PDB file of all heavy atoms in Angstrom:
ATOM      1  N   VAL A   7     -12.454  10.331  -4.713  1.00 97.00           N
ATOM      2  CA  VAL A   7     -11.305   9.602  -5.350  1.00 97.00           C
ATOM      3  C   VAL A   7     -11.583   8.110  -5.117  1.00 97.00           C
ATOM      4  O   VAL A   7     -11.582   7.625  -4.001  1.00 97.00           O
ATOM      5  CB  VAL A   7      -9.977   9.979  -4.797  1.00 97.00           C
ATOM      6  CG1 VAL A   7      -8.848   9.314  -5.516  1.00 97.00           C
ATOM      7  CG2 VAL A   7      -9.802  11.564  -4.809  1.00 97.00           C
ATOM      8  N   PHE A   8     -11.714   7.356  -6.214  1.00 97.00           N
ATOM      9  CA  PHE A   8     -12.009   5.957  -6.109  1.00 97.00           C
ATOM     10  C   PHE A   8     -10.751   5.193  -6.468  1.00 97.00           C
ATOM     11  O   PHE A   8     -10.178   5.455  -7.531  1.00 97.00           O
ATOM     12  CB  PHE A   8     -13.092   5.513  -7.086  1.00 97.00           C
ATOM     13  CG  PHE A   8     -14.470   6.046  -6.752  1.00 97.00           C
ATOM     14  CD1 PHE A   8     -14.868   7.316  -7.171  1.00 97.00           C
ATOM     15  CD2 PHE A   8     -15.262   5.431  -5.840  1.00 97.00           C
ATOM     16  CE1 PHE A   8     -16.137   7.797  -6.874  1.00 97.00           C
ATOM     17  CE2 PHE A   8     -16.519   5.850  -5.467  1.00 97.00           C
ATOM     18  CZ  PHE A   8     -16.920   7.110  -5.959  1.00 97.00           C
ATOM     19  N   VAL A   9     -10.345   4.388  -5.489  1.00 96.00           N
ATOM     20  CA  VAL A   9      -9.020   3.618  -5.724  1.00 96.00           C
ATOM     21  C   VAL A   9      -9.421   2.123  -5.863  1.00 96.00           C
ATOM     22  O   VAL A   9     -10.008   1.525  -4.898  1.00 96.00           O
ATOM     23  CB  VAL A   9      -8.116   3.789  -4.423  1.00 96.00           C
ATOM     24  CG1 VAL A   9      -6.873   3.011  -4.601  1.00 96.00           C
ATOM     25  CG2 VAL A   9      -7.882   5.235  -4.154  1.00 96.00           C
ATOM     26  N   CYS A  10      -9.020   1.534  -7.009  1.00 93.00           N
ATOM     27  CA  CYS A  10      -9.349   0.183  -7.194  1.00 93.00           C
ATOM     28  C   CYS A  10      -8.511  -0.744  -6.191  1.00 93.00           C
ATOM     29  O   CYS A  10      -7.318  -0.578  -6.112  1.00 93.00           O
ATOM     30  CB  CYS A  10      -8.991  -0.294  -8.628  1.00 93.00           C
ATOM     31  SG  CYS A  10      -9.441  -1.956  -8.958  1.00 93.00           S
ATOM     32  N   GLU A  11      -9.268  -1.568  -5.534  1.00 92.00           N
ATOM     33  CA  GLU A  11      -8.644  -2.577  -4.665  1.00 92.00           C
ATOM     34  C   GLU A  11      -9.084  -3.956  -5.050  1.00 92.00           C
ATOM     35  O   GLU A  11      -8.933  -4.916  -4.265  1.00 92.00           O
ATOM     36  CB  GLU A  11      -9.021  -2.285  -3.236  1.00 92.00           C
ATOM     37  CG  GLU A  11      -8.410  -0.979  -2.681  1.00 92.00           C
ATOM     38  CD  GLU A  11      -8.782  -0.783  -1.227  1.00 92.00           C
ATOM     39  OE1 GLU A  11      -9.033  -1.705  -0.502  1.00 92.00           O
ATOM     40  OE2 GLU A  11      -8.720   0.438  -0.832  1.00 92.00           O
ATOM     41  N   ASN A  12      -9.515  -4.162  -6.311  1.00 90.00           N
ATOM     42  CA  ASN A  12     -10.072  -5.402  -6.723  1.00 90.00           C
ATOM     43  C   ASN A  12      -8.975  -6.501  -6.670  1.00 90.00           C
ATOM     44  O   ASN A  12      -7.812  -6.228  -6.982  1.00 90.00           O
ATOM     45  CB  ASN A  12     -10.592  -5.339  -8.212  1.00 90.00           C
ATOM     46  CG  ASN A  12     -11.399  -6.537  -8.627  1.00 90.00           C
ATOM     47  OD1 ASN A  12     -12.218  -6.980  -7.880  1.00 90.00           O
ATOM     48  ND2 ASN A  12     -10.973  -7.151  -9.788  1.00 90.00           N
ATOM     49  N   GLU A  13      -9.424  -7.736  -6.364  1.00 87.00           N
ATOM     50  CA  GLU A  13      -8.423  -8.889  -6.280  1.00 87.00           C
ATOM     51  C   GLU A  13      -8.983 -10.001  -7.135  1.00 87.00           C
ATOM     52  O   GLU A  13     -10.060 -10.476  -6.813  1.00 87.00           O
ATOM     53  CB  GLU A  13      -8.100  -9.283  -4.877  1.00 87.00           C
ATOM     54  CG  GLU A  13      -7.332  -8.243  -4.129  1.00 87.00           C
ATOM     55  CD  GLU A  13      -6.672  -8.829  -2.898  1.00 87.00           C
ATOM     56  OE1 GLU A  13      -6.169  -9.954  -2.908  1.00 87.00           O
ATOM     57  OE2 GLU A  13      -6.463  -7.990  -1.976  1.00 87.00           O
ATOM     58  N   ARG A  14      -8.279 -10.451  -8.076  1.00 87.00           N
ATOM     59  CA  ARG A  14      -8.579 -11.593  -8.861  1.00 87.00           C
ATOM     60  C   ARG A  14      -7.667 -12.741  -8.457  1.00 87.00           C
ATOM     61  O   ARG A  14      -6.617 -12.501  -7.885  1.00 87.00           O
ATOM     62  CB  ARG A  14      -8.435 -11.346 -10.369  1.00 87.00           C
ATOM     63  CG  ARG A  14      -9.453 -10.332 -10.915  1.00 87.00           C
ATOM     64  CD  ARG A  14      -9.439 -10.479 -12.401  1.00 87.00           C
ATOM     65  NE  ARG A  14     -10.465  -9.568 -12.920  1.00 87.00           N
ATOM     66  CZ  ARG A  14     -10.281  -8.274 -13.263  1.00 87.00           C
ATOM     67  NH1 ARG A  14      -9.081  -7.796 -13.305  1.00 87.00           N
ATOM     68  NH2 ARG A  14     -11.309  -7.623 -13.828  1.00 87.00           N
ATOM     69  N   PRO A  15      -7.935 -13.960  -8.931  1.00 85.00           N
ATOM     70  CA  PRO A  15      -6.937 -15.037  -8.595  1.00 85.00           C
ATOM     71  C   PRO A  15      -5.567 -14.663  -9.293  1.00 85.00           C
ATOM     72  O   PRO A  15      -5.508 -14.026 -10.283  1.00 85.00           O
ATOM     73  CB  PRO A  15      -7.605 -16.203  -9.320  1.00 85.00           C
ATOM     74  CG  PRO A  15      -9.092 -15.908  -9.360  1.00 85.00           C
ATOM     75  CD  PRO A  15      -9.153 -14.437  -9.502  1.00 85.00           C
ATOM     76  N   ALA A  16      -4.519 -15.200  -8.662  1.00 83.00           N
ATOM     77  CA  ALA A  16      -3.156 -14.844  -9.153  1.00 83.00           C
ATOM     78  C   ALA A  16      -2.909 -15.264 -10.622  1.00 83.00           C
ATOM     79  O   ALA A  16      -2.141 -14.668 -11.326  1.00 83.00           O
ATOM     80  CB  ALA A  16      -2.154 -15.545  -8.230  1.00 83.00           C
ATOM     81  N   ASP A  17      -3.650 -16.361 -11.096  1.00 86.00           N
ATOM     82  CA  ASP A  17      -3.454 -16.813 -12.411  1.00 86.00           C
ATOM     83  C   ASP A  17      -4.279 -16.098 -13.482  1.00 86.00           C
ATOM     84  O   ASP A  17      -4.232 -16.403 -14.657  1.00 86.00           O
ATOM     85  CB  ASP A  17      -3.631 -18.260 -12.555  1.00 86.00           C
ATOM     86  CG  ASP A  17      -5.025 -18.738 -12.173  1.00 86.00           C
ATOM     87  OD1 ASP A  17      -5.768 -17.869 -11.577  1.00 86.00           O
ATOM     88  OD2 ASP A  17      -5.267 -19.896 -12.344  1.00 86.00           O
ATOM     89  N   ASP A  18      -5.041 -15.101 -13.134  1.00 83.00           N
ATOM     90  CA  ASP A  18      -5.938 -14.405 -14.030  1.00 83.00           C
ATOM     91  C   ASP A  18      -5.048 -13.517 -14.892  1.00 83.00           C
ATOM     92  O   ASP A  18      -4.295 -12.708 -14.382  1.00 83.00           O
ATOM     93  CB  ASP A  18      -6.993 -13.485 -13.323  1.00 83.00           C
ATOM     94  CG  ASP A  18      -7.950 -12.994 -14.188  1.00 83.00           C
ATOM     95  OD1 ASP A  18      -7.652 -12.256 -15.211  1.00 83.00           O
ATOM     96  OD2 ASP A  18      -9.220 -13.209 -13.935  1.00 83.00           O
ATOM     97  N   PRO A  19      -5.051 -13.651 -16.176  1.00 82.00           N
ATOM     98  CA  PRO A  19      -4.222 -12.920 -17.128  1.00 82.00           C
ATOM     99  C   PRO A  19      -4.500 -11.394 -17.098  1.00 82.00           C
ATOM    100  O   PRO A  19      -3.600 -10.597 -17.494  1.00 82.00           O
ATOM    101  CB  PRO A  19      -4.586 -13.427 -18.481  1.00 82.00           C
ATOM    102  CG  PRO A  19      -5.944 -14.103 -18.381  1.00 82.00           C
ATOM    103  CD  PRO A  19      -6.003 -14.468 -16.957  1.00 82.00           C
ATOM    104  N   ARG A  20      -5.588 -10.901 -16.615  1.00 82.00           N
ATOM    105  CA  ARG A  20      -5.899  -9.455 -16.623  1.00 82.00           C
ATOM    106  C   ARG A  20      -5.151  -8.823 -15.387  1.00 82.00           C
ATOM    107  O   ARG A  20      -5.019  -7.578 -15.358  1.00 82.00           O
ATOM    108  CB  ARG A  20      -7.408  -9.185 -16.431  1.00 82.00           C
ATOM    109  CG  ARG A  20      -8.129  -9.610 -17.636  1.00 82.00           C
ATOM    110  CD  ARG A  20      -9.620  -9.448 -17.456  1.00 82.00           C
ATOM    111  NE  ARG A  20      -9.955 -10.483 -16.470  1.00 82.00           N
ATOM    112  CZ  ARG A  20     -11.162 -10.678 -16.013  1.00 82.00           C
ATOM    113  NH1 ARG A  20     -12.196  -9.837 -16.327  1.00 82.00           N
ATOM    114  NH2 ARG A  20     -11.509 -11.560 -15.122  1.00 82.00           N
TER     115      ARG A  20
END
Side-chain angles (χ1 to χ4, degrees):
V7 183
F8 293 90
V9 181
C10 182
E11 295 185 21
N12 189 51
E13 292 198 33
R14 290 193 177 97
D17 62 348
D18 191 304
R20 293 172 293 178

